[in-house]
Amino acid sequence: MDKEDEEGILAGLREAVDDIKARRAAKVKAIRAKTQLSQPAFAARYHLSVRTVQNWESGKSIDGVGQTLLKLIDRDPSLVDKMLNGPA
């Protein structure tokens, strides 16, 4: 394998990583859009920092707990709100 092949492989890997980040960011944004909340309001309602929400929406990695919370919010945002904050 020559240098040109290696550079092509690296470029492909970078593109794949960028695609994964873009899909992750879009998924988090869609979940937040479902709640009709701004980033600060979403963070406050679900006991997250605004920086965490911003990081997730920029495609940064999400730990297992964050992934679980997002899945629950996606499935039933009002139920998660009630579980975390009590009845409205």
Side-chain angles (χ1 to χ4, degrees):
M1 183 178 335
D2 63 11
K3 185 158 179 92
E4 188 175 315
D5 290 338
E6 290 175 4
E7 289 173 1
I9 290 169
L10 286 174
L13 289 172
R14 284 187 201 103
E15 188 176 315
V17 168
D18 289 344
D19 183 58
I20 290 167
K21 287 180 180 181
R23 289 173 189 250
R24 183 185 303 139
K27 179 68 175 171
V28 175
K29 288 176 186 177
I31 292 168
R32 185 173 59 81
K34 189 179 202 178
T35 67
Q36 300 179 337
L37 296 171
S38 65
Q39 286 180 341
F42 184 89
R45 178 164 297 169
Y46 298 110
H47 302 269
L48 302 163
S49 72
V50 175
R51 174 58 71 199
T52 295
V53 175
Q54 291 169 340
N55 285 341
W56 290 352
E57 289 191 5
S58 71
K60 294 206 166 103
S61 64
I62 305 169
D63 66 11
V65 172
Q67 290 176 17
T68 300
L69 178 61
L70 287 169
K71 284 179 188 175
L72 292 170
I73 294 168
D74 190 32
R75 182 166 289 172
D76 193 336
S78 62
L79 179 62
V80 176
D81 180 24
K82 287 177 190 172
M83 290 189 315
L84 292 174
N85 302 306

